[in-house]
């Protein structure tokens, strides 16, 4: 009985396998006959769907317009009041009005820094950090000076006309801002008188005191619209300067993202790009040690 029982169990199991195989085979047969036909109909409809969905996912520029290319134009800066000094974006397109003139200008020498222009002025709130920057540099054996600071709209017009006469329109466009387009009109920009040591010190430390170089070597003029200028710095205050420094972006890029124009604001006045110079812009280390007054 025990033997039969064992046989019965074994036979029973042997019968299950062919049955399962038969059911499986019928299923495969149905799939082969019907399945491919239905797949052939559905495939073109279904296949592109996940691809299209995936390609639409990484689009950060949907909410953030791309940084506009540098173009020649005269569009009012969207943060164009003297109270907006931290967020005003100026380049070869965006400008200040001819009447923009800070009323709190004071001589830079109040910060204890020497100046080659006895009339050089900045807005009063810049003085404290300029003094601490000057003292910190001196503590490291670096003597800083000022070549140029605030320039009115009219003064910038003279500067630009002079550059136009000596350099021609191509180089002038890269080297000198048109009136209204200069950060010097903000009253927060300074052209420092620097040698190589001063240049290196400012690059490493200026942001700690609220100053950021507007035209860095690696990103000018592509991102800044002007050629590299190691002497030109703009004051943003320490917190904003630290944020810009940490971002690794130029001031123009950072302002575009963090203080963007309102929706619908005109940002591209003309398709004409800034002309490419036939002569390479001044290379790092070959710029005039004392800087120049002909500066954006
Ligand atoms: Zn300058």
């Amino acid at each position: 009985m025990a033997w039969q029982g064992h046989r019965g169990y074994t036979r029973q199991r042997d019968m299950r396998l062919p049955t399962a195989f038969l059911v499986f085979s019928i299923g495969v047969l149905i799939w082969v006959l019907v399945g491919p036909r239905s797949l052939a109909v559905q495939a073109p409809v279904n296949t592109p769907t996940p691809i299209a969905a995936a390609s639409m996912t990484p689009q950060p520029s949907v909410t953030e317009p791309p940084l506009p290319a540098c173009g020649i134009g005269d569009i009012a800066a969207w943060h164009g009041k003297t109270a907006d000094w931290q967020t005003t974006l100026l380049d070869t397109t965006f400008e200040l009005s001819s009447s923009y003139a800070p009323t709190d200008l004071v001589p830079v020498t109040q910060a204890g820094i020497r100046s080659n222009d006895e009339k050089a002025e900045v807005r009063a709130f810049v003085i404290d950090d300029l003094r601490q920057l000057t003292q910190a540099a001196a503590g490291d054996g670096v003597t800083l000076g000022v070549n140029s600071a605030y320039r009115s709209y009219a003064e910038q017009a003279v500067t630009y006309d002079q550059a136009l006469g000596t350099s021609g329109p191509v180089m002038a466009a890269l080297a000198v801002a048109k009136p209204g387009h200069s950060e010097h009109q903000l009253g927060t920009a300074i052209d420092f008188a620097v040698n190589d040591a001063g240049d290196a010190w400012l690059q490493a430390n200026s942001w700690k005191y609220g100053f950021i170089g507007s035209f860095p070597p690696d990103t000018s003029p592509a991102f800044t619209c002007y050629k590299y200028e190691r002497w030109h710095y703009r004051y943003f205050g320490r917190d904003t300067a630290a944020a810009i420094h940490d971002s690794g972006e130029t001031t123009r890029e950072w302002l575009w993202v963090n203080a963007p124009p309102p929706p619908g604001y005109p940002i591209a006045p003309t398709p004409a790009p800034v002309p490419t110079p036939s002569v390479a812009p001044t290379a790092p280390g070959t710029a005039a040690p004392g800087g120049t007054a002909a500066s954006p």
Side-chain angles (χ1 to χ4, degrees):
M1 294 299 286
W3 177 84
Q4 282 184 341
H6 180 71
R7 288 278 299 184
Y9 175 78
T10 305
R11 187 180 296 120
Q12 209 169 11
R13 192 180 62 175
D14 288 343
M15 287 300 290
R16 282 178 191 163
L17 281 171
T19 303
F21 181 76
L22 182 64
V23 171
F24 174 77
S25 300
I26 292 171
V28 169
L29 184 63
I30 293 171
W31 184 84
V32 167
L33 293 175
V34 180
R37 196 177 301 157
S38 64
L39 283 178
V41 173
Q42 293 183 4
V45 177
N46 287 341
T47 305
T49 305
I51 298 173
S55 69
M56 290 178 64
T57 306
Q59 294 291 337
S61 63
V62 168
T63 55
E64 180 183 298
L67 183 72
C70 298
I72 304 295
D74 293 304
I75 294 179
W78 56 89
H79 290 147
K81 300 176 181 174
T82 53
D84 301 330
W85 58 274
Q86 275 179 308
T87 54
T88 309
L89 190 159
L90 299 174
D91 60 14
T92 47
T93 298
F94 300 108
E95 66 168 354
L96 299 171
S97 72
S98 59
S99 61
Y100 183 107
T103 56
D104 56 352
L105 295 166
V106 296
V108 296
T109 50
Q110 285 191 7
I113 190 170
R114 69 179 176 84
S115 179
N116 295 322
D117 175 5
E118 61 182 16
K119 295 185 292 183
E121 294 177 314
V122 290
R123 296 189 65 177
F125 55 76
V126 180
I127 292 295
D128 280 348
D129 278 336
L130 180 59
R131 179 185 300 111
Q132 294 187 47
L133 172 132
T134 304
Q135 292 174 347
D140 290 338
V142 172
T143 301
L144 297 175
V146 171
N147 273 338
S148 180
Y150 172 72
R151 269 183 241 135
S152 69
Y153 185 97
E155 288 169 334
Q156 188 67 26
V158 172
T159 300
Y160 180 74
D161 285 345
Q162 289 174 342
L164 205 57
T166 57
S167 305
V170 174
M171 289 305 292
L174 279 166
V176 183
K178 292 186 299 179
H181 295 258
S182 174
E183 290 184 335
H184 287 278
Q185 195 178 337
L186 295 170
T188 55
I190 293 176
D191 289 345
F192 286 101
V194 292
N195 53 19
D196 288 345
D199 173 32
W201 192 92
L202 284 172
Q203 284 196 42
N205 300 291
S206 70
W207 64 274
K208 302 171 188 172
Y209 304 91
F211 292 85
I212 298 286
S214 296
F215 314 109
D218 297 338
T219 46
S220 300
F223 291 92
T224 66
C225 304
Y226 296 102
K227 69 179 179 64
Y228 165 51
E229 290 203 344
R230 67 177 187 173
W231 51 81
H232 180 109
Y233 282 77
R234 173 175 166 182
Y235 182 74
F236 287 92
R238 296 194 182 198
D239 290 345
T240 299
I244 297 171
H245 174 267
D246 291 347
S247 76
E249 297 175 327
T250 62
T251 57
R252 181 171 175 264
E253 292 171 281
W254 192 90
L255 288 173
W256 179 260
V257 172
N258 292 279
Y265 202 88
I267 58 173
T270 165
V274 170
T276 302
S278 56
V279 179
T282 308
T286 60
T292 175
S295 157

